[in-house]
Amino acid sequence: MHDRRLAEAEPTLAALIRLFVLNLGLPLDRVEAELAPVGVELLVELGLAEETAGELVPRLRLVPNGELVIASDLGSYVQPDHAASVHRPSVTLASLTVRKRGARALDVGTGTGFQALLAASHCEHVVATDLNERALAFAEFNAALNGLTNIEFRAGSFFEPVRGETFDLVVSNPPYVISPETALVFRDSGKPGDTVSAELVAELPAYLQEDGFGTIMISWAAGEEAAARPRSWVDASGCDAWLIHTGGEDALHAAATWNRAAGTDPEGFAQRVDAWVAYYEELGIGWIAYGALVLRRRAGGSNWFRAAELPEDRLRPASAHLIQMFSSQELADDVLDVPLALVGTAFVDRTARVEDGAWNEVSATVRLESGIGFGVNLDPVGARLVVLFDGRAPLRRQIPALASELGVSEPELEAFAERLAEHLLSHGLVAPLP
């Protein structure tokens, strides 16, 4: 279908998309005419394509991601040092990275360099590390392809190449999969269970400057309290933390997901799924959770930990939202005494139906249209309270009149208003006016 649509595109662009996005061959009798402006010899010399069986075929993928173009290996995981393309966790990490201007940034386990290239747009100097030297070669190529010269690439495992250094920003999309294998560098850490996530989370704060931010993708063996293990990893870290829980799956589903993605043949697929499930059973893992942990280095105080589920399909670039979520904690003790207003991207949705010739409201929700798309369902009292978040007066001053209007006691309404205001403030739906 996509190939047919290319018939309407400009010939050279269509040929490049066919080769490097759709990863289809181009018959040699069409190559000269359609790729003359680019130069077939150059594509072959650079190792981007090769001639075989009467076709010019791609040796890698070249896919636009926002303003960047990212080169990676073709889809099949045929070699241990496979250089993976930008995938969903990559985009989640990018969206949950705080993008303040800074002097130095670090991308741990850079792969093909996507996070490092993004950081290079707002940090003066970026260091990107990876054990996979083949992936590092792709990352260096991508930096050159996108005209970026402020990235330094260092080979080595995780933080080893930057011992003793600190950064304004640290990002990492490590091989966090809970796996019994060591077949794929980008997926398998070789460490038991969720050890790699635990160790990297514990180590990351040492590389942050004061007030620096770090975001790392993790997975963990989840028990009755889903956030318990990640919380234990950041205890005494000197960091405040937001855990954004992106999803989870049972052991069988996890085994099937990661082995299907590896393109295993049907017979080998079943055998490997059985081996993975047996590994999970041996470790007592029934449920695996996934998420992003966002840390802010803050010494000299009592650090806090917060956790929330990521609203499904409601994540957009969230740097400003995250900064607001972290700074809002300073107001938590005075939430009724500070004038708060709904942020500009917060909307209140009301649903009503006609009963006895009049509109009767049946539900209300306040939600965000930017950043992390948090939303809160409101009962009739909550819906009435939300209207008062206009920045003109503290909520405490307005409670007596509203309590009288609703026919409830002031202490009861005040307690409810405090809980609602704390939730809206901590999740970035309300804030003090500038």
Side-chain angles (χ1 to χ4, degrees), residues 326-393:
F326 275 85
S327 63
S328 70
Q329 302 300 319
E330 300 166 6
L331 299 173
D333 294 335
D334 305 310
V335 71
L336 293 181
D337 298 307
V338 177
L340 299 173
L342 289 169
V343 299
T345 58
F347 291 82
V348 178
D349 298 329
R350 299 179 182 273
T351 303
R353 62 186 174 197
V354 176
E355 292 180 344
D356 298 326
W359 289 106
N360 179 39
E361 185 172 296
V362 295
S363 66
T365 302
V366 59
R367 59 179 175 81
L368 286 174
E369 276 292 303
S370 66
I372 307 168
F374 291 131
V376 179
N377 294 324
L378 303 168
D379 64 10
V381 176
R384 186 65 186 85
L385 276 167
V386 161
V387 178
L388 303 181
F389 290 109
D390 57 11
R392 291 186 292 182

Side-chain angles (χ1 to χ4, degrees), residues 218-300:
I218 59 174
S219 71
W220 65 97
E224 291 185 8
E225 185 188 351
R229 284 182 67 76
R231 180 188 286 112
S232 70
W233 298 342
V234 298
D235 283 348
S237 67
C239 288
D240 301 320
W242 258 106
L243 173 67
I244 308 299
H245 186 185
T246 59
E249 55 194 353
D250 62 34
L252 177 58
H253 193 264
T257 297
W258 292 110
N259 282 288
R260 187 180 298 112
T264 313
D265 65 272
E267 183 177 347
F269 173 78
Q271 293 174 349
R272 291 175 68 174
V273 166
D274 288 342
W276 281 51
V277 170
Y279 174 74
Y280 294 145
E281 290 177 349
E282 180 183 349
L283 295 179
I285 297 175
W287 187 264
I288 297 171
Y290 302 95
L293 192 59
V294 187
L295 305 173
R296 177 185 64 176
R297 182 79 176 176
R298 184 175 63 87

